[in-house]
Amino acid sequence: MTNDETGSTMQIAGDIDQGLADHGPGQPDTFGEAFGEASTTATATATATATAVSAALPMHSVGILGPVVLLGPCGHTAPSGVVVRALLGSLALAHPLPVNADDFAARLWPDRSTSQAKQRLHTGAHRLRSWLLNATDGGLGVVTQPSGYALTDGSGLPGGGVLTDLARFRHAVERARHLTDPLHRLRHLQGALALWRGRLLEGVPAECVDHHTQQSLMLEHTVHLQELARAALDARRPQEAVVAARRACEEDHFNESSHAILMDALTAAGMRVAALDVYEHMRNRLNRSLGIAPGEILMQARGRAIGR
């Protein structure tokens, strides 16, 4: 299997399975029947894709696209203790910028005095520094800065290296956008999506995560799913387009762009009735919840579905 091929559909199997399990009202009942074969094919390539993605990572990096873990040649490991994991995740999310010690301590221990909270954070940072030193042989560390703490590579420079799976994801997406062949672009985008192992910073207390940053990254994930669905349509892979578009719709029930792409994917797959069902479901949701009519992008997708 070539690198391009192994950069393919790890996430497709999970997306299809999740899409079937989460099948919601207003979505076509024929979805699962139409794409059972796609699920079987994707499952067969999932292991190869996971191996290729892991091999592409640096020697050690921090995984935050799912549970917070250390990614390395021996697999995934995680430090013990909620505070240490929360600090590692927050440092990775902020990288290459530092995490403000006062703000982080206040969020994690709001019932403690400022001095007590900062002392607890200092202890947590010391434990994390020691754990990283042992786990990575000095490849990753924590450096103290005037405002707080920052993640660093072996050079001691906070900005050095690709230290997180988020950075790897963005690098892979940017590389895919420069590919002219539709199928190669699709496979690279799917390989990037395979880096997401679950919810962002899964298991980290919500109060430890900057809400604005979290929302921005989830929007970035939704936009990536939209881009992946469009690439699948360009590559004449409508089944894979439906999988990606439907997941984008599940992440944001009011995103008209995601629903328009889903309608186009269903239309390309020969499921025009299902595409129109998506339109009607979205029209009712917008009217009932927001008191507005579908926008132009949905109207145009409806026109394509009915052959105008």
Side-chain angles (χ1 to χ4, degrees):
M1 183 174 287
T2 66
N3 289 336
D4 286 338
E5 290 169 337
T6 56
S8 62
T9 55
M10 176 183 181
Q11 197 69 21
I12 294 176
D15 287 348
I16 293 177
D17 292 341
Q18 181 176 349
L20 297 178
D22 297 340
H23 188 71
Q27 296 295 341
D29 291 336
T30 55
F31 178 84
E33 299 175 4
F35 300 111
E37 183 178 350
S39 178
T40 302
T41 302
T43 301
T45 61
T47 302
T49 304
T51 301
V53 171
S54 298
L57 290 169
M59 182 64 69
H60 290 100
S61 60
V62 181
I64 59 175
L65 304 181
V68 176
V69 295
L70 179 68
L71 306 171
C74 297
H76 299 176
T77 57
S80 60
V82 174
V83 173
V84 177
R85 286 197 302 272
L87 182 56
L88 177 60
S90 297
L91 291 173
L93 181 61
H95 181 76
L97 300 176
V99 168
N100 185 280
D102 292 339
D103 291 345
F104 186 86
R107 290 200 304 268
L108 196 55
W109 297 286
D111 57 335
R112 299 286 179 172
S113 67
T114 301
S115 59
Q116 288 177 324
K118 290 186 68 174
Q119 181 57 45
R120 288 192 173 197
L121 178 58
H122 177 74
T123 301
H126 174 73
R127 291 176 178 173
L128 175 59
R129 187 179 288 115
S130 298
W131 183 81
L132 284 174
L133 178 64
N134 293 329
T136 69
D137 293 326
L140 293 179
V142 177
V143 62
T144 302
Q145 295 192 342
S147 62
Y149 304 98
L151 189 66
T152 177
D153 66 3
S155 69
L157 300 176
V162 181
L163 305 188
T164 69
D165 55 357
L166 175 60
R168 176 64 189 171
F169 167 75
R170 288 170 170 168
H171 176 77
V173 171
E174 187 61 28
R175 180 184 176 189
R177 288 171 180 165
H178 289 85
L179 298 175
T180 57
D181 180 83
L183 184 57
H184 285 176
R185 183 167 66 253
L186 170 63
R187 295 315 184 203
H188 276 75
L189 290 172
Q190 288 170 334
L193 186 64
L195 292 171
W196 287 76
R197 296 166 290 107
R199 292 182 291 104
L200 177 71
L201 292 173
E202 190 173 325
V204 172
E207 58 269 22
C208 298
V209 183
D210 181 77
H211 181 70
H212 176 75
T213 301
Q214 186 178 40
Q215 290 296 106
S216 176
L217 281 175
M218 292 316 299
L219 177 59
E220 184 176 340
H221 186 261
T222 300
V223 170
H224 177 71
L225 288 169
Q226 294 175 351
E227 188 172 357
L228 196 158
R230 293 191 188 97
L233 286 174
D234 291 342
R236 300 184 184 278
R237 301 293 181 105
Q239 296 178 354
E240 296 174 31
V242 170
V243 170
R246 189 170 189 275
R247 186 172 176 187
C249 293
E250 291 167 353
E251 290 188 350
D252 186 350
H253 296 301
F254 292 94
N255 191 309
E256 295 187 60
S257 295
S258 295
H259 285 79
I261 297 170
L262 176 58
M263 291 175 64
D264 285 340
L266 289 167
T267 299
M271 302 174 66
R272 295 179 182 273
V273 173
L276 293 174
D277 284 346
V278 171
Y279 174 84
E280 288 300 319
H281 179 65
M282 191 61 175
R283 182 180 67 83
N284 291 332
R285 173 180 287 161
L286 291 172
N287 180 59
R288 182 172 57 251
S289 301
L290 303 177
I292 61 175
E296 184 65 23
I297 190 171
L298 281 173
M299 294 292 293
Q300 291 177 354
R302 179 179 180 274
R304 289 188 290 271
I306 63 178
R308 288 183 180 174

